[in-house]
Amino acid sequence: MSTDTGDQYQEILQGLYGMLERFPTRNIDLQEQTDLVADMGLDSINVMELLQEIEDRFDIIVPLNVMSDVRTVQDLATQVQRLIRENS
Amino acid sequence: MSISKRFAELEHIRSALNEADADPGRIVMERMLSATEAEIAGRRTILAGTNNYLGLTFEPGILEAAHQALCEQGSGTTGSRMANGSFASHVALERSFAEFYGMPAAMIFSTGYQANLGILTGLLRPGDKVMIDAHSHASIYDGCRLSGADFFPFRHNDPEDLRKRLRRLGDDARGALVVTEGLYSMLGDIAPLAELLAVTEEFGAYLMVDEAHSLGVYGEQGRGVTEAAGILDRVDFITGTFSKSLGSMGGYCVSRHEQLNLLRYGSRPYIFTASSSPANIAAAHWALDHIRSHPELRETLWSNVARLYGGLKELGCTLGAEPSPVVAVRVGSHDEAARIWNELLAAGVYVNLVVPPASPDGASLLRCSVSAGHSPEQIDTIVTAFGEAISRTAFAGACCSGQA
Ligand SMILES: Cc1ncc(COP(=O)(O)O)c(C=O)c1O
């Protein structure tokens, strides 16, 4: 990972933490390996809200089908980074 | 190992419903007494949760048509139309649907669920883009998944949000598919179709509308919310079902594009399943003719809607939307919904208990579907039962706060 993409990834990750904290997090410490459903307990409505926030924040559009491969915060950050790159 | 885990997961869901005494799947209609009444747990019960909007299931004409088809064409088709041939009655019903909508093409499917699966997988390939209303029925989500296309939910009934998302698609928006429903089955709200179509056209996309709950209910001639919105000549695809207002089983799609017929050669949910039984087709065809020649059925339905809606409003209930044949009472919690639902059953009134994740926005609902077959007295009984059930539940104050 070049420094640029590394920085961008960190920025995305911090942005995601900020958004995720507003959901009921069951008082867990958010980390890259935190599982959105198993650890955080997000339901399908939460996921939908989260996606819309992500889209507005990063000005991208996230296909719902991509989400079936996303389990952890890290997976999500990686997908967001990929979509940002595809868009630019 | 993974299957035993799955069993455990499902057992968890089942026992949670069981403990809350809130499992609609356990309801058995032991004996049907009419289109609007059945015996449940030995009790005569008014049915206000069966989507039988026009109450046609016991009409002498529909029974006779189905019976005649059964005798003349047999109990089943025993095969798929592409592999084993069509019955003349399938072709005739397609012709009637096309003519009813004034469109060049119609296809019928074995269920409404399969109609959505068949159209979406037939039209879309991996990499294609489709925008669906976030409140869409499971068959729309599943059709998108099965197609391999990239699909994007937009905010429910929000043309501006659709525009924002289409814009983000860039060049891919041209030729994309937008999917919405007419009347939404859970909250009973209708889509702003004219506005959604305007946005769709702006980007050169296609519009598909599922009128499962609105066929025979909306529009001057009963052609749905699309007709009521005045956009029948501009919508690209309309899907729907025989299982609600038509009182039968099966699904359909009509289109202003004659090429719809090409999907017969590339839609797996159309090709790889047996065609509808002759009795189902005959019942649906009779019902379609009947709703065309009996517009007064819709008047009866809407007058029943006004009676139920008004009655529940007067009780102070929080209702899901403007009056429609789906009247959804919002309650504060899952448990409260279950309690009221059981009280209603005990009083001989059957409605739908809808709790997350089946409800669209996390709400707990007691969903009523109104029928033209309900008598005014039955509607009054439903309202009275709600009043008593609510006052008997502990959180009556919280549930019916009076605000809309
Ligand atoms: C919006 C919508 N589309 C499709 C369907 C499926 O219809 P069917 O019962 O014919 O499979 C339903 C009904 O459950 C529905 O509510």
Side-chain angles (χ1 to χ4, degrees):
Chain A
M1 212 185 264
S2 77
T3 327
D4 267 4
T5 48
D7 286 351
Q8 187 192 31
Y9 177 83
Q10 281 306 324
E11 215 173 282
I12 294 169
L13 198 60
Q14 294 311 318
L16 291 178
Y17 287 151
M19 288 176 212
L20 286 168
E21 270 160 12
R22 287 198 297 282
F23 289 94
T25 49
R26 294 182 178 163
N27 291 328
I28 51 163
D29 200 14
L30 284 172
Q31 295 176 355
E32 278 182 89
Q33 291 314 317
T34 302
D35 188 304
L36 298 174
V37 176
D39 299 334
M40 279 191 67
L42 293 191
D43 62 19
S44 58
I45 295 168
N46 296 148
V47 169
M48 212 83 97
E49 284 170 21
L50 177 65
L51 278 188
Q52 305 205 320
E53 244 185 275
I54 290 173
E55 290 181 339
D56 287 343
R57 162 96 175 233
F58 299 105
D59 196 27
I60 52 171
I61 179 151
V62 186
L64 200 55
N65 37 307
V66 159
M67 291 303 285
S68 51
D69 296 330
V70 169
R71 281 187 35 249
T72 62
V73 179
Q74 183 183 33
D75 296 340
L76 187 58
T78 309
Q79 286 293 348
V80 169
Q81 189 173 24
R82 186 181 64 77
L83 288 163
I84 292 174
R85 212 173 306 140
E86 273 179 17
N87 249 31
S88 58
Chain B
M1 197 50 202
S2 73
I3 289 181
S4 66
K5 249 199 208 153
R6 177 64 179 149
F7 283 157
E9 188 180 77
L10 293 170
E11 174 55 30
H12 180 74
I13 297 174
R14 191 196 66 82
S15 57
L17 287 174
N18 217 35
E19 270 162 36
D21 204 5
D23 182 3
R26 74 173 165 76
I27 296 292
V28 178
M29 319 259 163
E30 287 143 4
R31 210 156 58 89
M32 294 304 297
L33 304 170
S34 73
T36 56
E37 272 193 320
E39 220 171 77
I40 298 175
R43 187 181 297 110
R44 204 180 173 92
T45 302
I46 298 174
L47 303 175
T50 54
N51 305 319
N52 197 349
Y53 298 119
L54 300 178
L56 298 181
T57 45
F58 281 85
E59 280 297 303
I62 204 168
L63 298 180
E64 198 184 314
H67 190 241
Q68 191 182 341
L70 184 62
C71 293
E72 290 175 358
Q73 300 169 49
S75 55
T77 63
T78 66
S80 132
R81 291 177 64 186
M82 293 310 277
N84 309 81
S86 294
F87 282 36
S89 53
H90 294 122
V91 180
L93 181 55
E94 284 176 340
R95 213 176 296 122
S96 285
F97 265 105
E99 193 220 328
F100 178 49
Y101 282 97
M103 296 198 190
M107 278 175 78
I108 57 173
F109 294 82
S110 302
T111 66
Y113 180 91
Q114 279 165 286
N116 282 336
L117 242 52
I119 295 304
L120 291 165
T121 61
L123 290 174
L124 302 166
R125 315 308 298 160
D128 287 345
K129 313 292 179 201
V130 48
M131 299 279 164
I132 68 176
D133 186 288
H135 286 193
S136 289
H137 186 255
S139 55
I140 294 171
Y141 277 93
D142 294 355
C144 289
R145 273 196 199 99
L146 193 57
S147 75
D150 287 335
F151 66 103
F152 309 89
F154 61 91
R155 272 181 222 278
H156 177 54
N157 279 350
D158 187 339
E160 270 318 306
D161 193 64
L162 173 64
R163 176 179 282 118
K164 187 169 79 180
R165 274 152 214 284
L166 281 168
R167 195 183 300 126
R168 283 191 184 137
L169 276 183
D171 294 342
D172 287 339
R174 174 160 297 279
L177 182 68
V178 175
V179 186
T180 166
E181 295 178 20
L183 172 65
Y184 281 86
S185 64
M186 290 299 155
L187 295 176
D189 49 342
I190 64 170
L193 287 185
E195 291 83 352
L196 291 169
L197 176 75
V199 174
T200 303
E201 288 179 338
E202 204 179 294
F203 288 87
Y206 292 81
L207 183 66
M208 164 175 164
V209 182
D210 180 349
E211 298 263 29
H213 292 267
S214 19
L215 168 70
V217 171
Y218 284 84
E220 187 114 359
Q221 295 182 55
R223 291 179 291 185
V225 179
T226 315
E227 182 187 15
I231 58 160
L232 262 185
D233 55 335
R234 283 154 68 205
V235 66
D236 294 287
F237 305 95
I238 294 176
T239 57
T241 176
F242 310 164
S243 74
K244 305 183 195 301
S245 59
L246 298 184
S248 179
M249 248 193 91
Y252 69 94
C253 177
V254 293
S255 177
R256 67 191 178 89
H257 306 286
E258 208 271 324
Q259 297 98 316
L260 172 71
N261 285 310
L262 294 172
L263 293 196
R264 296 179 206 274
Y265 298 91
S267 167
R268 295 167 68 87
Y270 175 80
I271 301 169
F272 293 99
T273 195
S275 54
S276 273
S277 85
N280 279 332
I281 295 290
H285 207 154
W286 183 90
L288 183 63
D289 290 344
H290 193 73
I291 63 174
R292 297 176 72 176
S293 54
H294 291 76
E296 73 278 6
L297 271 176
R298 281 194 290 290
E299 276 166 39
T300 313
L301 172 62
W302 283 101
S303 114
N304 283 343
V305 167
R307 198 175 183 99
L308 181 66
Y309 193 93
L312 292 174
K313 226 37 294 158
E314 218 162 277
L315 290 178
C317 291
T318 306
L319 302 179
E322 295 300 296
S324 85
V326 173
V327 180
V329 178
R330 277 184 190 272
V331 297
S333 73
H334 188 155
D335 288 348
E336 190 184 345
R339 269 196 301 274
I340 297 177
W341 183 67
N342 280 304
E343 291 275 353
L344 288 172
L345 273 174
V349 171
Y350 170 77
V351 302
N352 305 120
L353 173 63
V354 185
V355 295
S359 60
D361 57 0
S364 294
L365 306 172
L366 294 153
R367 171 195 182 269
C368 310
S369 59
V370 184
S371 175
H374 285 131
S375 66
E377 294 73 31
Q378 283 179 317
I379 302 280
D380 294 345
T381 307
I382 297 167
V383 174
T384 306
F386 260 99
E388 287 171 3
I390 287 167
S391 66
R392 265 200 300 270
T393 41
F395 299 100
C399 139
C400 283
S401 49
Q403 84 252 358

